[in-house]
Amino acid sequence: MAVAATLSIVSACAPMPGDVAVRHFGSTQFHEGARFHLFTFDPREPRTLDQRIRLAKAEIARDPDCRWANAPRAVIEEATRKQGAQYADTLLAAPVICEA
């Protein structure tokens, strides 16, 4: 019985499948009036550019003060590439418009 109780407590603390921690912060660069934000992802799990864009868009959708700027993919690819090869699969640079 104690094992079952321990397992239920531990599983309650575990992240839900598909629940990914995404952090972002504004940079000093802009694209057509939108400030680039740098999105960081868990470095233990490399992600494709498409995966990072999807996760970043979902993160921005949760913030009522910000919205995705819909910059061309080439702009996002180039800005992300400029952050350095060592961050290639764990970082995304994308323009975001925030009111606050």
Side-chain angles (χ1 to χ4, degrees), residues 46-91:
R47 294 178 171 83
T48 67
L49 183 65
D50 287 332
Q51 290 171 322
R52 287 176 278 147
I53 289 172
R54 182 181 51 77
L55 291 167
K57 284 182 176 181
E59 181 66 19
I60 290 301
R62 290 195 249 320
D63 187 336
D65 294 328
C66 296
R67 69 184 192 279
W68 194 256
N70 289 324
R73 181 186 171 93
V75 169
I76 294 170
E77 284 182 88
E78 178 65 14
T80 300
R81 186 189 60 73
K82 285 181 180 178
Q83 300 306 312
Q86 71 190 61
Y87 303 112
D89 299 329
T90 61
L91 185 126

Tab-separated table of all heavy atoms in Angstrom, residues 46-91:
chain	number	residue	atom	x	y	z
A	46	PRO	N	16.946	17.806	-27.911
A	46	PRO	CA	17.022	18.644	-29.114
A	46	PRO	C	15.714	18.589	-29.890
A	46	PRO	O	15.056	17.555	-29.942
A	46	PRO	CB	18.156	18.021	-29.923
A	46	PRO	CG	18.944	17.231	-28.942
A	46	PRO	CD	17.951	16.758	-27.906
A	47	ARG	N	15.335	19.721	-30.484
A	47	ARG	CA	14.091	19.811	-31.241
A	47	ARG	C	14.353	20.440	-32.594
A	47	ARG	O	15.208	21.301	-32.732
A	47	ARG	CB	13.076	20.651	-30.469
A	47	ARG	CG	12.639	19.997	-29.194
A	47	ARG	CD	11.668	20.866	-28.429
A	47	ARG	NE	11.109	20.121	-27.321
A	47	ARG	CZ	11.705	19.980	-26.152
A	47	ARG	NH1	12.859	20.537	-25.923
A	47	ARG	NH2	11.133	19.280	-25.199
A	48	THR	N	13.560	20.060	-33.568
A	48	THR	CA	13.672	20.662	-34.899
A	48	THR	C	13.179	22.104	-34.832
A	48	THR	O	12.498	22.508	-33.873
A	48	THR	CB	12.818	19.908	-35.931
A	48	THR	OG1	11.434	20.089	-35.602
A	48	THR	CG2	13.181	18.425	-35.991
A	49	LEU	N	13.493	22.858	-35.864
A	49	LEU	CA	13.020	24.241	-35.925
A	49	LEU	C	11.497	24.289	-35.893
A	49	LEU	O	10.907	25.105	-35.187
A	49	LEU	CB	13.564	24.936	-37.174
A	49	LEU	CG	13.186	26.413	-37.301
A	49	LEU	CD1	13.810	27.236	-36.178
A	49	LEU	CD2	13.613	26.947	-38.649
A	50	ASP	N	10.851	23.410	-36.626
A	50	ASP	CA	9.384	23.386	-36.635
A	50	ASP	C	8.814	23.103	-35.246
A	50	ASP	O	7.834	23.721	-34.838
A	50	ASP	CB	8.852	22.352	-37.627
A	50	ASP	CG	9.028	22.781	-39.069
A	50	ASP	OD1	9.049	24.008	-39.338
A	50	ASP	OD2	9.160	21.904	-39.938
A	51	GLN	N	9.425	22.185	-34.515
A	51	GLN	CA	8.970	21.892	-33.157
A	51	GLN	C	9.150	23.107	-32.254
A	51	GLN	O	8.261	23.428	-31.464
A	51	GLN	CB	9.748	20.705	-32.576
A	51	GLN	CG	9.412	19.381	-33.206
A	51	GLN	CD	10.355	18.276	-32.765
A	51	GLN	OE1	11.563	18.492	-32.604
A	51	GLN	NE2	9.823	17.086	-32.567
A	52	ARG	N	10.293	23.765	-32.379
A	52	ARG	CA	10.547	24.943	-31.538
A	52	ARG	C	9.580	26.082	-31.864
A	52	ARG	O	9.093	26.768	-30.970
A	52	ARG	CB	11.998	25.398	-31.673
A	52	ARG	CG	12.955	24.443	-30.951
A	52	ARG	CD	14.405	24.816	-31.157
A	52	ARG	NE	14.812	24.280	-32.456
A	52	ARG	CZ	15.693	24.853	-33.263
A	52	ARG	NH1	16.274	25.984	-32.937
A	52	ARG	NH2	16.010	24.293	-34.405
A	53	ILE	N	9.287	26.285	-33.139
A	53	ILE	CA	8.332	27.332	-33.527
A	53	ILE	C	6.948	27.010	-32.952
A	53	ILE	O	6.284	27.880	-32.378
A	53	ILE	CB	8.268	27.487	-35.059
A	53	ILE	CG1	9.566	28.130	-35.568
A	53	ILE	CG2	7.060	28.317	-35.479
A	53	ILE	CD1	9.700	28.148	-37.087
A	54	ARG	N	6.513	25.755	-33.087
A	54	ARG	CA	5.203	25.361	-32.571
A	54	ARG	C	5.119	25.581	-31.060
A	54	ARG	O	4.138	26.134	-30.548
A	54	ARG	CB	4.935	23.896	-32.914
A	54	ARG	CG	3.566	23.400	-32.464
A	54	ARG	CD	3.338	21.934	-32.805
A	54	ARG	NE	4.398	21.037	-32.386
A	54	ARG	CZ	4.593	20.615	-31.139
A	54	ARG	NH1	3.808	21.005	-30.174
A	54	ARG	NH2	5.583	19.784	-30.850
A	55	LEU	N	6.151	25.185	-30.328
A	55	LEU	CA	6.161	25.355	-28.877
A	55	LEU	C	6.221	26.829	-28.480
A	55	LEU	O	5.559	27.253	-27.525
A	55	LEU	CB	7.341	24.590	-28.270
A	55	LEU	CG	7.232	23.073	-28.342
A	55	LEU	CD1	8.569	22.428	-28.004
A	55	LEU	CD2	6.134	22.567	-27.422
A	56	ALA	N	6.996	27.624	-29.210
A	56	ALA	CA	7.089	29.053	-28.914
A	56	ALA	C	5.749	29.745	-29.174
A	56	ALA	O	5.310	30.584	-28.380
A	56	ALA	CB	8.194	29.689	-29.751
A	57	LYS	N	5.088	29.398	-30.265
A	57	LYS	CA	3.771	29.977	-30.554
A	57	LYS	C	2.771	29.621	-29.457
A	57	LYS	O	1.964	30.455	-29.040
A	57	LYS	CB	3.252	29.491	-31.909
A	57	LYS	CG	3.907	30.166	-33.080
A	57	LYS	CD	3.312	29.660	-34.388
A	57	LYS	CE	3.875	30.392	-35.577
A	57	LYS	NZ	3.275	29.918	-36.846
A	58	ALA	N	2.813	28.387	-28.993
A	58	ALA	CA	1.909	27.963	-27.915
A	58	ALA	C	2.197	28.744	-26.629
A	58	ALA	O	1.274	29.133	-25.915
A	58	ALA	CB	2.032	26.465	-27.671
A	59	GLU	N	3.465	28.983	-26.349
A	59	GLU	CA	3.843	29.746	-25.157
A	59	GLU	C	3.338	31.179	-25.264
A	59	GLU	O	2.786	31.732	-24.315
A	59	GLU	CB	5.362	29.711	-24.972
A	59	GLU	CG	5.864	30.448	-23.765
A	59	GLU	CD	5.426	29.816	-22.445
A	59	GLU	OE1	5.041	28.636	-22.416
A	59	GLU	OE2	5.466	30.530	-21.432
A	60	ILE	N	3.508	31.808	-26.402
A	60	ILE	CA	3.049	33.187	-26.599
A	60	ILE	C	1.525	33.255	-26.521
A	60	ILE	O	0.960	34.220	-26.007
A	60	ILE	CB	3.573	33.752	-27.938
A	60	ILE	CG1	5.091	33.975	-27.850
A	60	ILE	CG2	2.877	35.039	-28.327
A	60	ILE	CD1	5.525	34.931	-26.732
A	61	ALA	N	0.837	32.250	-26.999
A	61	ALA	CA	-0.629	32.229	-26.955
A	61	ALA	C	-1.155	32.267	-25.515
A	61	ALA	O	-2.260	32.733	-25.265
A	61	ALA	CB	-1.169	31.006	-27.683
A	62	ARG	N	-0.338	31.804	-24.550
A	62	ARG	CA	-0.735	31.825	-23.143
A	62	ARG	C	-0.573	33.210	-22.512
A	62	ARG	O	-1.069	33.448	-21.424
A	62	ARG	CB	0.097	30.830	-22.340
A	62	ARG	CG	-0.203	29.378	-22.625
A	62	ARG	CD	0.380	28.478	-21.571
A	62	ARG	NE	1.468	27.584	-21.796
A	62	ARG	CZ	1.722	26.824	-22.840
A	62	ARG	NH1	1.004	26.906	-23.889
A	62	ARG	NH2	2.722	25.994	-22.865
A	63	ASP	N	0.135	34.103	-23.178
A	63	ASP	CA	0.417	35.428	-22.622
A	63	ASP	C	-0.553	36.441	-23.236
A	63	ASP	O	-0.457	36.754	-24.427
A	63	ASP	CB	1.863	35.813	-22.937
A	63	ASP	CG	2.301	37.098	-22.256
A	63	ASP	OD1	1.428	37.930	-21.914
A	63	ASP	OD2	3.505	37.275	-22.065
A	64	PRO	N	-1.472	36.990	-22.456
A	64	PRO	CA	-2.466	37.911	-23.016
A	64	PRO	C	-1.873	39.233	-23.516
A	64	PRO	O	-2.514	39.938	-24.290
A	64	PRO	CB	-3.433	38.142	-21.858
A	64	PRO	CG	-2.650	37.849	-20.629
A	64	PRO	CD	-1.637	36.796	-21.023
A	65	ASP	N	-0.653	39.542	-23.108
A	65	ASP	CA	-0.029	40.801	-23.522
A	65	ASP	C	0.839	40.675	-24.765
A	65	ASP	O	1.389	41.671	-25.228
A	65	ASP	CB	0.824	41.377	-22.378
A	65	ASP	CG	-0.017	41.794	-21.185
A	65	ASP	OD1	-1.175	42.227	-21.402
A	65	ASP	OD2	0.457	41.679	-20.050
A	66	CYS	N	1.009	39.469	-25.276
A	66	CYS	CA	1.908	39.266	-26.413
A	66	CYS	C	1.208	38.507	-27.531
A	66	CYS	O	0.255	37.772	-27.299
A	66	CYS	CB	3.148	38.474	-25.979
A	66	CYS	SG	4.184	39.330	-24.782
A	67	ARG	N	1.741	38.696	-28.740
A	67	ARG	CA	1.251	37.926	-29.877
A	67	ARG	C	2.412	37.652	-30.823
A	67	ARG	O	3.381	38.398	-30.885
A	67	ARG	CB	0.110	38.617	-30.582
A	67	ARG	CG	0.463	39.873	-31.325
A	67	ARG	CD	-0.799	40.523	-31.905
A	67	ARG	NE	-0.493	41.553	-32.852
A	67	ARG	CZ	-0.157	42.803	-32.560
A	67	ARG	NH1	-0.066	43.170	-31.290
A	67	ARG	NH2	0.094	43.676	-33.500
A	68	TRP	N	2.306	36.561	-31.552
A	68	TRP	CA	3.309	36.145	-32.531
A	68	TRP	C	3.299	37.152	-33.673
A	68	TRP	O	2.240	37.544	-34.155
A	68	TRP	CB	2.956	34.740	-33.016
A	68	TRP	CG	4.037	34.051	-33.764
A	68	TRP	CD1	4.081	33.874	-35.107
A	68	TRP	CD2	5.198	33.435	-33.231
A	68	TRP	NE1	5.215	33.174	-35.447
A	68	TRP	CE2	5.919	32.897	-34.310
A	68	TRP	CE3	5.710	33.295	-31.941
A	68	TRP	CZ2	7.124	32.219	-34.144
A	68	TRP	CZ3	6.895	32.621	-31.772
A	68	TRP	CH2	7.589	32.098	-32.854
A	69	ALA	N	4.460	37.562	-34.158
A	69	ALA	CA	4.539	38.604	-35.185
A	69	ALA	C	4.428	38.072	-36.615
A	69	ALA	O	4.360	38.853	-37.542
A	69	ALA	CB	5.839	39.391	-35.031
A	70	ASN	N	4.389	36.766	-36.804
A	70	ASN	CA	4.261	36.170	-38.137
A	70	ASN	C	5.332	36.616	-39.126
A	70	ASN	O	5.051	36.884	-40.289
A	70	ASN	CB	2.867	36.425	-38.723
A	70	ASN	CG	1.817	35.624	-38.006
A	70	ASN	OD1	2.070	34.492	-37.599
A	70	ASN	ND2	0.651	36.190	-37.834
A	71	ALA	N	6.562	36.677	-38.664
A	71	ALA	CA	7.691	36.968	-39.555
A	71	ALA	C	7.915	35.769	-40.467
A	71	ALA	O	7.579	34.634	-40.108
A	71	ALA	CB	8.947	37.239	-38.733
A	72	PRO	N	8.473	35.992	-41.624
A	72	PRO	CA	8.773	34.864	-42.517
A	72	PRO	C	9.715	33.859	-41.831
A	72	PRO	O	10.575	34.232	-41.033
A	72	PRO	CB	9.466	35.515	-43.708
A	72	PRO	CG	9.055	36.944	-43.665
A	72	PRO	CD	8.842	37.276	-42.219
A	73	ARG	N	9.545	32.602	-42.166
A	73	ARG	CA	10.386	31.546	-41.586
A	73	ARG	C	11.868	31.839	-41.794
A	73	ARG	O	12.687	31.594	-40.917
A	73	ARG	CB	10.006	30.200	-42.194
A	73	ARG	CG	10.808	29.046	-41.633
A	73	ARG	CD	10.481	27.749	-42.378
A	73	ARG	NE	11.373	26.696	-42.002
A	73	ARG	CZ	11.150	25.818	-41.044
A	73	ARG	NH1	10.038	25.872	-40.353
A	73	ARG	NH2	12.032	24.874	-40.784
A	74	ALA	N	12.222	32.386	-42.945
A	74	ALA	CA	13.635	32.689	-43.225
A	74	ALA	C	14.201	33.681	-42.210
A	74	ALA	O	15.369	33.578	-41.814
A	74	ALA	CB	13.788	33.229	-44.643
A	75	VAL	N	13.406	34.626	-41.772
A	75	VAL	CA	13.847	35.604	-40.762
A	75	VAL	C	14.109	34.888	-39.438
A	75	VAL	O	15.120	35.133	-38.772
A	75	VAL	CB	12.790	36.723	-40.597
A	75	VAL	CG1	13.086	37.596	-39.387
A	75	VAL	CG2	12.708	37.565	-41.861
A	76	ILE	N	13.215	33.990	-39.066
A	76	ILE	CA	13.377	33.237	-37.817
A	76	ILE	C	14.591	32.318	-37.896
A	76	ILE	O	15.400	32.255	-36.966
A	76	ILE	CB	12.093	32.446	-37.503
A	76	ILE	CG1	10.952	33.420	-37.211
A	76	ILE	CG2	12.298	31.487	-36.343
A	76	ILE	CD1	9.591	32.771	-37.116
A	77	GLU	N	14.745	31.628	-39.023
A	77	GLU	CA	15.909	30.741	-39.197
A	77	GLU	C	17.217	31.517	-39.084
A	77	GLU	O	18.142	31.084	-38.396
A	77	GLU	CB	15.855	30.060	-40.557
A	77	GLU	CG	14.870	28.929	-40.647
A	77	GLU	CD	14.894	28.266	-42.012
A	77	GLU	OE1	15.703	27.342	-42.192
A	77	GLU	OE2	14.111	28.694	-42.875
A	78	GLU	N	17.301	32.647	-39.749
A	78	GLU	CA	18.534	33.440	-39.742
A	78	GLU	C	18.834	33.981	-38.341
A	78	GLU	O	19.966	33.909	-37.864
A	78	GLU	CB	18.436	34.586	-40.748
A	78	GLU	CG	19.644	35.492	-40.787
A	78	GLU	CD	20.921	34.809	-41.276
A	78	GLU	OE1	20.852	33.706	-41.837
A	78	GLU	OE2	22.002	35.396	-41.076
A	79	ALA	N	17.832	34.518	-37.678
A	79	ALA	CA	18.046	35.054	-36.334
A	79	ALA	C	18.441	33.953	-35.360
A	79	ALA	O	19.300	34.164	-34.496
A	79	ALA	CB	16.788	35.766	-35.854
A	80	THR	N	17.859	32.787	-35.500
A	80	THR	CA	18.211	31.662	-34.632
A	80	THR	C	19.635	31.193	-34.932
A	80	THR	O	20.413	30.939	-34.008
A	80	THR	CB	17.198	30.509	-34.823
A	80	THR	OG1	15.890	30.993	-34.483
A	80	THR	CG2	17.539	29.322	-33.944
A	81	ARG	N	19.981	31.107	-36.212
A	81	ARG	CA	21.330	30.683	-36.601
A	81	ARG	C	22.386	31.621	-36.022
A	81	ARG	O	23.441	31.193	-35.562
A	81	ARG	CB	21.453	30.635	-38.123
A	81	ARG	CG	22.784	30.054	-38.611
A	81	ARG	CD	22.970	30.221	-40.104
A	81	ARG	NE	22.966	31.607	-40.538
A	81	ARG	CZ	23.960	32.480	-40.325
A	81	ARG	NH1	25.033	32.125	-39.676
A	81	ARG	NH2	23.876	33.722	-40.762
A	82	LYS	N	22.095	32.902	-35.989
A	82	LYS	CA	23.058	33.884	-35.471
A	82	LYS	C	23.332	33.719	-33.980
A	82	LYS	O	24.306	34.256	-33.473
A	82	LYS	CB	22.549	35.302	-35.737
A	82	LYS	CG	22.676	35.718	-37.168
A	82	LYS	CD	22.189	37.142	-37.353
A	82	LYS	CE	22.321	37.587	-38.795
A	82	LYS	NZ	21.810	38.960	-38.984
A	83	GLN	N	22.485	32.994	-33.280
A	83	GLN	CA	22.701	32.785	-31.844
A	83	GLN	C	23.843	31.811	-31.588
A	83	GLN	O	24.349	31.723	-30.486
A	83	GLN	CB	21.423	32.299	-31.165
A	83	GLN	CG	20.269	33.259	-31.277
A	83	GLN	CD	20.620	34.653	-30.779
A	83	GLN	OE1	21.189	34.802	-29.694
A	83	GLN	NE2	20.293	35.655	-31.560
A	84	GLY	N	24.243	31.070	-32.597
A	84	GLY	CA	25.384	30.176	-32.460
A	84	GLY	C	25.015	28.718	-32.618
A	84	GLY	O	23.945	28.287	-32.200
A	85	ALA	N	25.908	27.970	-33.224
A	85	ALA	CA	25.674	26.554	-33.502
A	85	ALA	C	25.486	25.737	-32.228
A	85	ALA	O	24.759	24.758	-32.231
A	85	ALA	CB	26.832	25.982	-34.322
A	86	GLN	N	26.098	26.141	-31.130
A	86	GLN	CA	25.988	25.358	-29.908
A	86	GLN	C	24.562	25.333	-29.364
A	86	GLN	O	24.210	24.468	-28.582
A	86	GLN	CB	26.945	25.878	-28.834
A	86	GLN	CG	26.545	27.227	-28.245
A	86	GLN	CD	27.623	27.815	-27.378
A	86	GLN	OE1	28.717	28.077	-27.835
A	86	GLN	NE2	27.320	28.015	-26.117
A	87	TYR	N	23.734	26.274	-29.784
A	87	TYR	CA	22.344	26.324	-29.320
A	87	TYR	C	21.356	25.877	-30.400
A	87	TYR	O	20.151	26.049	-30.257
A	87	TYR	CB	21.977	27.743	-28.889
A	87	TYR	CG	22.871	28.288	-27.822
A	87	TYR	CD1	23.730	29.335	-28.088
A	87	TYR	CD2	22.874	27.734	-26.547
A	87	TYR	CE1	24.563	29.838	-27.107
A	87	TYR	CE2	23.710	28.228	-25.563
A	87	TYR	CZ	24.548	29.283	-25.845
A	87	TYR	OH	25.373	29.768	-24.882
A	88	ALA	N	21.843	25.297	-31.463
A	88	ALA	CA	21.052	25.025	-32.660
A	88	ALA	C	19.714	24.341	-32.387
A	88	ALA	O	18.720	24.698	-33.001
A	88	ALA	CB	21.861	24.202	-33.651
A	89	ASP	N	19.658	23.390	-31.503
A	89	ASP	CA	18.431	22.627	-31.289
A	89	ASP	C	17.685	23.006	-30.018
A	89	ASP	O	16.661	22.410	-29.700
A	89	ASP	CB	18.738	21.133	-31.232
A	89	ASP	CG	19.345	20.622	-32.524
A	89	ASP	OD1	19.014	21.171	-33.582
A	89	ASP	OD2	20.158	19.691	-32.465
A	90	THR	N	18.186	23.993	-29.277
A	90	THR	CA	17.598	24.314	-27.979
A	90	THR	C	17.191	25.768	-27.837
A	90	THR	O	16.788	26.186	-26.757
A	90	THR	CB	18.584	23.965	-26.849
A	90	THR	OG1	19.767	24.747	-27.013
A	90	THR	CG2	18.928	22.487	-26.855
A	91	LEU	N	17.278	26.542	-28.918
A	91	LEU	CA	16.971	27.962	-28.844
A	91	LEU	C	16.217	28.363	-30.103
A	91	LEU	O	16.392	27.775	-31.164
A	91	LEU	CB	18.271	28.764	-28.721
A	91	LEU	CG	18.074	30.262	-28.514
A	91	LEU	CD1	18.831	30.716	-27.284
A	91	LEU	CD2	18.544	31.017	-29.726
